[in-house]
Amino acid sequence: MTRPDITVGILALQGAFLEHKLHLQKAIGHASPGSSLDTTNFEIIEVRTPEQLASADALVIPGGESTAISLIAERTGLLEPLRQFVRVDRKPVWGTCAGLILLSDEASKAKKGGQELIGGLHVRCQRNHFGRQAESFECNLPLPFEGEEDHPFKAVFIRAPIVEKILTSADATADVTEGVVRAPKMDRELFDRTEIEVISSLPQTQGKEAGDIVAVRQGNIFGTSFHPELTPDVRLHAWWLRECVLGRSER
């Protein structure tokens, strides 16, 4: 068997991990002949153990229930390896919806007793910003697909979070306010001063929610509030593989 060039893991503890797996496979399978996606030998695996995580070069953390994912990760011995993967080893990782919450350094509207965060992304994420499942919606978003500005991405928001604040190094040492949980500090981790890039915000058509930040990138971490795996469009998966996984491995 040919050894893969890149192994992409999908955290498969709870949530829409199978949909992400299918989208990644489709993005690779439909790549233009001779492109970087076409010429790279990818392996897509489901991650449920520290050993499987250790074999991955990049990781997707899917949407689902962030509290459930963090509890299962803690009970299966995956939480600390995930923090090492993201914050110390700084391998490429993409979190969608619940995954964005878990990757955030802070989360507001946390449940009583809080929840464990992986951390690494220097933002405060507000859970369930848009309300209950009945307030779920779709909208067209501008995303970084060069040459395809006339073909916006239809994003699906289901009990979605938003990025409510981009944090500074001073925020990292300030007292935690009520209703906010913070990822724990780690040995050998320095505050990453890589600038946070806002990839997309809600458009004016969303009324009072217009301008809310729903996609960000910082170094090895990419986070989206919405569920790209619940649409037939695989452009964002292809972009992440090309720009965040292959692009980072080439540096």
Side-chain angles (χ1 to χ4, degrees):
M1 181 180 292
T2 304
R3 186 174 181 178
D5 300 317
I6 299 284
T7 298
V8 178
I10 305 170
L11 190 63
L13 303 180
Q14 191 264 349
F17 57 88
L18 286 176
E19 290 84 350
H20 272 294
K21 186 175 184 179
L22 292 172
H23 271 53
L24 289 168
Q25 291 170 337
K26 186 176 178 182
I28 295 164
H30 291 189
S32 301
S35 67
S36 58
L37 293 190
D38 178 59
T39 58
T40 301
N41 181 21
F42 288 97
E43 181 182 22
I44 312 297
I45 65 170
E46 296 175 12
V47 171
R48 296 183 178 88
T49 68
E51 294 75 22
Q52 290 167 336
L53 180 64
S55 70
D57 301 299
L59 183 71
V60 175
I61 303 178
E65 170 46 55
S66 60
T67 305
I69 294 172
S70 68
L71 282 172
I72 297 169
E74 188 173 19
R75 290 172 183 171
T76 56
L78 258 175
L79 194 55
E80 287 306 319
L82 282 166
R83 289 177 176 142
Q84 173 77 25
F85 187 99
V86 176
R87 297 167 58 181
V88 179
D89 300 338
R90 294 187 178 175
K91 295 183 179 181
V93 60
W94 176 13
T96 64
C97 197
L100 169 62
I101 296 171
L102 291 167
L103 289 171
S104 299
D105 280 349
E106 295 183 358
S108 63
K109 288 190 177 179
K111 294 181 180 179
K112 189 174 182 179
Q115 71 173 89
E116 292 285 347
L117 301 176
I118 296 167
L121 182 61
H122 299 333
V123 302
R124 179 183 299 152
C125 192
Q126 185 183 108
R127 294 163 43 100
N128 299 340
H129 172 74
F130 302 100
R132 300 180 180 180
Q133 190 114 352
E135 278 73 54
S136 301
F137 65 96
E138 298 180 3
C139 74
N140 290 330
L141 284 181
L143 285 168
F145 308 132
E146 186 176 350
E148 297 190 38
E149 290 79 5
D150 293 334
H151 302 279
F153 188 92
K154 179 165 280 190
V156 177
F157 292 83
I158 302 173
R159 297 180 63 211
I162 61 163
V163 172
E164 70 174 18
K165 183 179 181 181
I166 293 174
L167 303 176
T168 66
S169 56
D171 291 316
T173 58
D175 292 338
V176 179
T177 57
E178 186 176 357
V180 173
V181 293
R182 178 182 290 168
K185 294 181 180 179
M186 291 187 67
D187 293 338
R188 296 181 291 127
E189 182 194 31
L190 298 175
F191 188 87
D192 185 355
R193 297 186 183 276
T194 305
E195 184 177 350
I196 294 182
E197 179 184 1
V198 176
I199 300 295
S200 191
S201 301
L202 288 179
Q204 293 299 318
T205 54
Q206 293 308 117
K208 67 178 183 178
E209 311 291 356
D212 285 346
I213 299 173
V214 294
V216 293
R217 182 182 181 185
Q218 178 191 358
N220 60 308
I221 306 173
F222 178 48
T224 56
S225 299
F226 50 92
H227 289 269
E229 77 283 5
L230 299 183
T231 76
D233 194 334
V234 300
R235 286 180 296 165
L236 197 54
H237 286 77
W239 176 86
W240 179 71
L241 287 171
R242 186 174 59 251
E243 301 294 329
C244 302
V245 178
L246 291 180
R248 192 166 180 84
S249 68
E250 291 169 357
R251 292 173 188 171

